[in-house]
Amino acid sequence: SGADGKDACREEEEEDGASGGGEEAEEEGDSGEGTEEEDEDAEEEHDSDFEELDEEQEGKQKKGSSEKQVAALCISVGSFSDPEDLPGLAHFLEHMVFMGSEKYPAENGFDAFLKKHGGSDNASTDCERTIFQFDVQRKYFREALDRWAQFFICPLMIEDAIDREVEAVDSEYQLARPSDSHRKEMLFGSLARPKHPMGKFCWGNAQTLKHEPREKQINTYQRLRDFWKRYYSAHYMTLTVQSKETLNTLEEWVREVFSKVPNNAQPRPDFSDLQDPFDTPTFNKLYRIVPVRKVHALTVTWALPPQGKQYRVKPLHYISWLIGHEGAGSILSLLRKKCWALALFGGNSETGFDQNTTYSIFSISITLTDEGFQNFHQVVHLVFQYMKMLQTLGPQQRIYEEIQKIEANEFHYQEQTDPIEYVENICENMQLFPKEDFLTGDQLMFEYNPEVISLALALLTPERANLLLLSPEHEGHCAHKEKWFGTNYSIEDLPEEWAQRWAGDFDLNPDLHLPAENKFIATDFTLKPSDCPDTEVPVRIVNNERGCLWFKKDNKFKIPKAYVRFNLLSPMIQKSPENLVLFDVFVNILAHNLAEPAYEADVAQLEYKLIAGEHGLVIRVKGFNHKLPLLLNLIVDHLADFTAEPGVFNMFAEQLKKTYFNILIKPERLGKDVRLLILEHCRWSVIQKYQAIMKGLTVDDLMTFVSGLKAQLYTEGLVQGNFTSTESMKFLQYFIDKLQFKRLSVEVPVLFRVVELPQKPHLCKVKSLNKGDANSEVTVYYQVTALIKLKECEDTHLGEEVDRNWFEVVTQQYVFDRLNREIEALKLITKAELVSWFMEHRDTTSKKLSVHVSLPALKTSSYGEVSKLTFLPASPMLADATLINDIRAFTSSLTLYPYHKILK
């Protein structure tokens, strides 16, 4: 729903602004491939609901569940402590400690142990902290703790493994290089004064960890062991474990297992004397940057004294809530009215880059339209006007207490979070807060202190700000190149007339004002009594020719929250690529029209999401049930009264061109697009959507499409949580009454039919559409019986249960007890049967499709042509595979599988 008024997340998560909807449902037998998450995948938020649900379930399995036992350990050392002559050493050590221990010497023994027992592990290195975590089945937790602890007691760090693990670090670096968010961070860090750790290359790569040390005769292995001995000390560490064992048992285990972690009694790394790192001539400039993706974005940044000690007041949190507001009187509201901006994020992400012991960042990042880019100086001026208004009015107790109330409600009634994320968060909190605030220090606003807030506000002035402006328009005009990520940029002094304008007592825009009182904040947390018999699975309480509604009263988690989801099915969506594009534009503009009136609901913890699904518009709302009907009705009202101003239409049409382009330049997304184009009958690819939007569509085309879409629908819904069946029936009736749609004349399939591949291997090799990305992508698809996924554990919160049930509704299979049935079926499968099945399908005559996305020829521009595929010849080692050079010619002769659903 746009800006995050609570705190800034990394702005590239939604930098494209437009929601490149209606994208890709998985073919049957191929559902459940892990979500392709990156910082910059706003588009992925709007994949088909079918795939999105499946990927959500997969993601939860990967992260952890309440049945898994989890542990996390945080060490107060990070990349700030890297030696000057070995950049990336802290990150490299995080990798190397996993390579066996004296007690358990197998190089990858811990990973193998966890995989064998349904677990996983990971680690991450920040500026001043390094975190390790793992999860595993309960009966193996004690042994896993012992194996894991050995990395901090007596790791082997075999010298022979160094070169191999350097390659792993280098691979992470290469994968990160095409990320605009990482590029901006590295460039921003380079602006710090000389010798400040912000300017260090924290990633590390083969150049810094292997080639240069050899040239300089640096013994990387010995330096690695010295670094471990100096910094991996018990008094730098905090540990969190979560298990169903008793607290006494856990404490006993921890004492037994971790008592041998060495303690060198040396002072902790301390960089707090290195404050004001950006008090340099390179700050307070305008930096023009060439991004990887097609996007216009403005970031205004201030470097403040470190704010971590003000966690009880959270001044930046309060300011970011106002800056990121999207309601009437906000920065984004005014920019949207001018069609200059699509999204805004303000605040501090609380990562090591944004907040450490030397400074705290406050930044405002705005995704601009083409017109907004042309007028970016006026956008900057509006930001400074709003900041001056906040400084003039001073802190507002009413607003602070409103935020306090919202977050206290959420904390008090929070659902079970992912266990791995939870223990990671707590072990890091243990480094930052006193014991009494370990669980709450990062979540609650404890005390209103206007003096502390005013001190932070007073520093957010034009003369202290730095500007970054990203745009493809800068290509060819940027003479500088950042050393590590290769970002092209230019540096300019701010024009004198700007400086003079902002130095004086400039006027404020009269349309800027503080937000009004929030009518969406819940005050009734009563649990409602059931008005129908309790059931284990959802039941259909409405079923007619225009729709049906599934309902389940929550009597398990017992929280005053609810989930409401509707899928509005229409045969118009899949008729042509043009219709798919118009559907995407429609969903974007509907979200745009809702952004201001629905924003108060969003900050009051009532979440909503509009998804351009493969075959229908999906509307999802959740949160405290008290005010949830207000939000749902608001969405339906805007759907019924949909309008599109020509300027808004043009803004989103242009933005969708960029969104489709940014999807296609990712090798993994292009590979998926090609694979699904081959496998799914009547599939329209992203390339075809890009071709359609480039031909040109009009606002009249849109309104004609929307009229047809709303004329005939089938609406299917699910309500779960703290509502009665009587209340729930009113939701579907409100859709019918407001939209006045007729029943469908033909049934809309909710899945694509899949082609039957010939009984031999096939290869489709295409050229990558990103001329600046060094990464290739390979997918191998085996066409066999449906995949059965095992998740033999209870749902940890209501949302997980809703996701499983919604999958059944949106795929129209309705096997709500599928999980139990699958578990029972799996218990009947023998090892011999599994091996036999695998051997039958792995041979060279199997129905196998390989899709390769390979490096392009030498690059001439960062922004190449993406409207067509270039097919490549097979390499000699793949000569046995049948090459696909014309997808339509290949698929036209294949038979189709029938629509496939597992109903029992």
Side-chain angles (χ1 to χ4, degrees):
S1 59
D4 183 351
K6 299 188 287 293
D7 264 321
C9 53
R10 295 257 50 87
E11 69 275 3
E12 279 77 11
E13 286 177 7
E14 298 190 25
E15 196 171 74
D16 283 334
S19 57
E23 202 159 310
E24 296 151 348
E26 289 288 0
E27 66 276 8
E28 295 156 85
D30 191 39
S31 59
E33 85 187 11
T35 184
E36 296 141 328
E37 291 179 57
E38 287 189 5
D39 285 343
E40 301 147 344
D41 274 351
E43 315 87 86
E44 309 233 356
E45 286 294 302
H46 301 269
D47 272 0
S48 79
D49 204 48
F50 175 63
E51 175 176 89
E52 180 182 66
L53 274 170
D54 207 60
E55 292 179 344
E56 281 178 10
Q57 294 302 314
E58 285 291 288
K60 283 169 186 150
Q61 278 185 274
K62 288 172 185 171
K63 287 184 177 179
S65 74
S66 62
E67 296 299 306
K68 299 273 186 74
Q69 318 302 289
V70 295
L73 183 144
C74 182
I75 310 176
S76 60
V77 66
S79 58
F80 274 11
S81 297
D82 281 348
E84 293 293 334
D85 57 351
L86 278 174
L89 190 67
H91 181 207
F92 186 37
L93 178 58
E94 169 228 299
H95 279 248
M96 283 297 295
V97 293
F98 280 101
M99 309 299 282
S101 64
E102 291 180 12
K103 185 173 181 180
Y104 303 100
E107 188 171 296
N108 294 300
F110 186 59
D111 282 345
F113 176 83
L114 292 178
K115 287 175 182 175
K116 184 177 180 180
H117 302 302
S120 64
D121 64 338
N122 209 341
S124 60
T125 304
D126 210 328
C127 296
E128 295 178 292
R129 285 179 290 281
T130 302
I131 296 180
F132 300 84
Q133 49 87 347
F134 78 89
D135 68 347
V136 75
Q137 293 172 7
R138 180 176 176 179
K139 61 182 176 180
Y140 302 104
F141 190 46
R142 171 63 174 78
E143 182 179 349
L145 276 175
D146 186 51
R147 288 173 173 268
W148 189 58
Q150 300 308 310
F151 300 141
F152 313 109
I153 297 172
C154 52
L156 284 182
M157 293 194 286
I158 304 169
E159 191 166 6
D160 290 347
I162 281 188
D163 282 357
R164 292 195 300 277
E165 206 56 31
V166 164
E167 293 306 316
V169 172
D170 191 71
S171 178
E172 288 184 10
Y173 160 70
Q174 294 295 345
L175 288 169
R177 286 195 81 221
S179 160
D180 285 324
S181 61
H182 294 318
R183 286 169 165 248
K184 279 171 54 181
E185 283 191 355
M186 287 305 301
L187 176 59
F188 190 84
S190 72
L191 307 185
R193 66 170 181 258
K195 302 299 181 182
H196 190 279
M198 266 312 299
K200 291 184 176 181
F201 175 49
C202 58
W203 289 83
N205 61 12
Q207 177 187 340
T208 68
L209 295 170
K210 182 166 72 172
H211 304 309
E212 288 182 0
R214 284 179 181 170
E215 291 171 7
K216 298 175 182 177
Q217 296 186 324
I218 295 172
N219 186 334
T220 303
Y221 174 70
Q222 187 57 50
R223 297 285 292 279
L224 199 66
R225 298 203 71 89
D226 292 345
F227 195 94
W228 178 88
K229 188 175 181 179
R230 167 66 180 86
Y231 294 113
Y232 277 43
S233 176
H235 68 305
Y236 294 177
M237 298 178 181
T238 49
L239 172 69
T240 305
V241 294
Q242 177 173 301
S243 171
K244 290 194 172 182
E245 305 296 340
T246 66
L247 289 177
N248 287 341
T249 299
L250 286 177
E251 182 174 348
E252 180 184 327
W253 287 359
V254 168
R255 288 185 184 278
E256 290 173 356
V257 168
F258 289 91
S259 60
K260 294 182 181 177
V261 175
N263 186 333
N264 61 30
Q266 294 193 45
R268 287 184 178 219
D270 185 6
F271 301 93
S272 59
D273 59 329
L274 301 176
Q275 297 194 12
D276 297 322
F278 297 102
D279 185 14
T280 68
T282 57
F283 211 72
N284 195 225
K285 304 282 186 184
L286 170 61
Y287 288 80
R288 296 180 184 266
I289 299 172
V290 180
V292 174
R293 300 173 305 135
K294 281 193 175 178
V295 63
H296 303 303
L298 169 71
T299 300
V300 184
T301 306
W302 291 267
L304 311 180
Q307 299 289 308
K309 291 183 179 178
Q310 305 295 350
Y311 77 93
R312 296 191 66 81
V313 181
K314 294 185 173 61
L316 300 189
H317 189 69
Y318 167 83
I319 298 168
S320 72
W321 194 91
L322 291 168
I323 294 295
H325 207 275
E326 299 185 25
S330 67
I331 298 172
L332 189 57
S333 173
L334 269 63
L335 292 176
R336 279 175 169 157
K337 286 181 171 65
K338 291 176 176 287
C339 293
W340 284 1
L342 295 153
L344 180 151
F345 300 88
N348 180 295
S349 70
E350 298 181 7
T351 62
F353 179 87
D354 270 20
Q355 182 153 295
N356 52 61
T357 57
T358 75
Y359 70 87
S360 289
I361 288 294
F362 190 89
S363 61
I364 301 171
S365 295
I366 305 171
T367 306
L368 302 172
T369 63
D370 292 350
E371 192 174 347
F373 169 69
Q374 298 300 326
N375 293 280
F376 83 91
H377 58 288
Q378 293 188 49
V379 176
V380 175
H381 185 54
L382 188 67
V383 168
F384 290 157
Q385 286 177 300
Y386 195 87
M387 299 309 301
K388 183 180 176 184
M389 180 192 77
L390 295 183
Q391 292 157 354
T392 302
L393 294 175
Q396 302 290 305
Q397 188 167 356
R398 171 188 68 83
I399 293 175
Y400 191 94
E401 290 177 351
E402 191 173 273
I403 306 169
Q404 246 183 341
K405 185 177 181 181
I406 289 170
E407 299 194 342
N409 286 346
E410 183 61 19
F411 181 81
H412 185 69
Y413 295 104
Q414 65 182 304
E415 297 184 61
Q416 171 78 42
T417 57
D418 176 71
I420 290 178
E421 292 178 2
Y422 187 63
V423 294
E424 280 184 339
N425 196 51
I426 291 177
C427 76
E428 189 167 16
N429 285 356
M430 293 167 72
Q431 300 268 352
L432 302 172
F433 310 125
K435 185 176 181 179
E436 63 270 18
D437 295 330
F438 284 172
L439 302 183
T440 57
D442 61 333
Q443 297 193 51
L444 298 182
M445 299 173 77
F446 297 90
E447 56 193 53
Y448 174 64
N449 188 323
E451 290 77 21
V452 170
I453 297 171
S454 294
L455 282 173
L457 269 174
L459 298 173
L460 304 179
T461 57
E463 63 270 17
R464 293 176 54 90
N466 192 72
L467 308 181
L468 301 180
L469 184 64
L470 282 72
S471 174
E473 301 293 319
H474 296 153
E475 188 175 32
H477 304 287
C478 294
H480 300 275
K481 179 174 282 194
E482 190 274 323
K483 178 179 179 180
W484 299 108
F485 278 61
T487 307
N488 293 313
Y489 67 97
S490 66
I491 315 171
E492 300 173 19
D493 290 326
L494 298 178
E496 185 61 31
E497 61 269 25
W498 294 11
Q500 290 178 359
R501 182 184 194 184
W502 295 329
D505 188 21
F506 53 88
D507 294 333
L508 302 183
N509 188 312
D511 293 327
L512 291 173
H513 60 79
L514 295 175
E517 188 174 348
N518 192 332
K519 66 180 181 181
F520 285 97
I521 298 176
T523 56
D524 181 359
F525 304 104
T526 307
L527 294 180
K528 300 178 184 242
S530 299
D531 64 347
C532 61
D534 291 341
T535 57
E536 290 295 316
V537 298
V539 294
R540 187 154 40 191
I541 57 173
V542 178
N543 188 18
N544 59 49
E545 60 186 9
R546 289 196 285 181
C548 71
L549 182 68
W550 297 87
F551 168 79
K552 183 177 183 293
K553 175 78 171 67
D554 170 50
N555 289 306
K556 177 180 177 182
F557 298 99
K558 296 181 177 167
I559 54 172
K561 295 183 178 182
Y563 290 70
V564 181
R565 299 183 178 181
F566 280 92
N567 190 12
L568 281 62
L569 294 166
S570 167
M572 287 193 61
I573 296 168
Q574 286 290 341
K575 281 188 175 178
S576 67
E578 287 75 16
N579 276 18
L580 279 170
V581 171
L582 290 169
F583 188 42
D584 286 351
V585 175
F586 162 62
V587 174
N588 273 280
I589 296 179
L590 179 59
H592 172 84
N593 293 348
L594 274 164
E596 187 171 309
Y599 187 73
E600 297 286 3
D602 186 58
V603 297
Q605 307 294 347
L606 301 181
E607 300 177 29
Y608 72 97
K609 192 171 184 182
L610 308 176
I611 301 166
E614 292 285 4
H615 304 282
L617 171 63
V618 177
I619 299 172
R620 295 163 52 163
V621 298
K622 69 175 182 178
F624 292 111
N625 58 276
H626 181 206
K627 299 295 181 75
L628 203 59
L630 288 178
L631 174 59
L632 184 62
N633 290 351
L634 181 70
I635 294 170
V636 177
D637 291 345
H638 276 73
L639 176 59
D641 303 326
F642 178 81
T643 58
E645 296 293 328
V648 173
F649 172 85
N650 293 333
M651 173 175 73
F652 280 107
E654 288 303 312
Q655 196 61 27
L656 274 173
K657 292 177 186 176
K658 298 184 181 74
T659 298
Y660 296 153
F661 177 94
N662 294 335
I663 290 172
L664 291 169
I665 63 172
K666 294 180 180 177
E668 69 275 14
R669 296 305 306 273
L670 178 62
K672 187 174 183 179
D673 200 41
V674 170
R675 175 170 54 85
L676 297 183
L677 187 60
I678 293 171
L679 291 170
E680 294 189 347
H681 182 59
C682 294
R683 153 75 59 182
W684 303 111
S685 69
V686 182
I687 287 182
Q688 288 169 308
K689 290 167 68 173
Y690 184 76
Q691 292 169 341
I693 200 168
M694 293 304 289
K695 290 176 184 174
L697 296 166
T698 68
V699 69
D700 291 336
D701 295 331
L702 174 66
M703 296 312 295
T704 300
F705 168 80
V706 173
S707 297
L709 179 81
K710 294 195 293 185
Q712 289 187 325
L713 292 169
Y714 183 80
T715 302
E716 193 158 18
L718 171 68
V719 179
Q720 277 194 241
N722 195 33
F723 281 123
T724 65
S725 63
T726 304
E727 290 171 321
S728 302
M729 283 188 252
K730 293 177 182 176
F731 299 147
L732 177 59
Q733 195 58 47
Y734 196 78
F735 273 94
I736 294 171
D737 293 343
K738 287 293 293 187
L739 297 178
Q740 294 291 308
F741 56 87
K742 296 180 180 178
R743 69 178 181 87
L744 293 179
S745 54
V746 293
E747 184 179 353
V748 176
V750 294
L751 302 172
F752 289 103
R753 293 181 68 183
V754 180
V755 300
E756 181 178 0
L757 291 175
Q759 199 78 28
K760 58 181 177 179
H762 284 78
L763 168 66
C764 185
K765 188 172 183 179
V766 299
K767 185 185 292 187
S768 172
L769 301 178
N770 185 351
K771 299 179 184 297
D773 191 343
N775 299 296
S776 298
E777 200 266 350
V778 174
T779 300
V780 181
Y781 164 85
Y782 290 87
Q783 192 170 67
V784 296
T785 61
L787 175 67
I788 296 177
K789 284 169 284 182
L790 174 61
K791 186 185 175 190
E792 194 171 6
C793 58
E794 292 184 3
D795 298 311
T796 58
H797 57 85
L798 181 58
E800 279 193 359
E801 183 181 306
V802 172
D803 285 342
R804 283 194 300 103
N805 291 333
W806 181 241
F807 177 86
E808 300 298 332
V809 172
V810 83
T811 60
Q812 296 183 348
Q813 300 184 81
Y814 314 123
V815 186
F816 296 107
D817 62 344
R818 180 184 305 274
L819 188 60
N820 291 333
R821 296 192 190 191
E822 287 179 351
I823 290 169
E824 290 306 312
L826 283 168
K827 288 177 180 176
L828 301 176
I829 297 175
T830 66
K831 179 180 177 181
E833 288 173 328
L834 182 63
V835 171
S836 173
W837 177 90
F838 174 72
M839 298 302 291
E840 179 186 346
H841 291 93
R842 70 184 285 267
D843 62 30
T844 56
T845 62
S846 61
K847 300 176 181 179
K848 183 171 77 171
L849 170 66
S850 298
V851 177
H852 295 190
V853 179
S854 300
L855 292 174
L858 292 174
K859 80 174 205 175
T860 54
S861 165
S862 300
Y863 307 102
E865 176 56 55
V866 301
S867 60
K868 63 179 180 180
L869 290 173
T870 301
F871 294 91
L872 300 173
S875 60
M877 68 176 63
L878 295 172
D880 291 342
T882 301
L883 203 61
I884 301 174
N885 285 321
D886 185 327
I887 292 175
R888 287 302 176 212
F890 170 70
T891 59
S892 62
S893 61
L894 301 180
T895 58
L896 293 174
Y897 286 114
Y899 288 114
H900 174 71
K901 298 178 183 178
I902 300 175
L903 299 177
K904 64 179 180 178

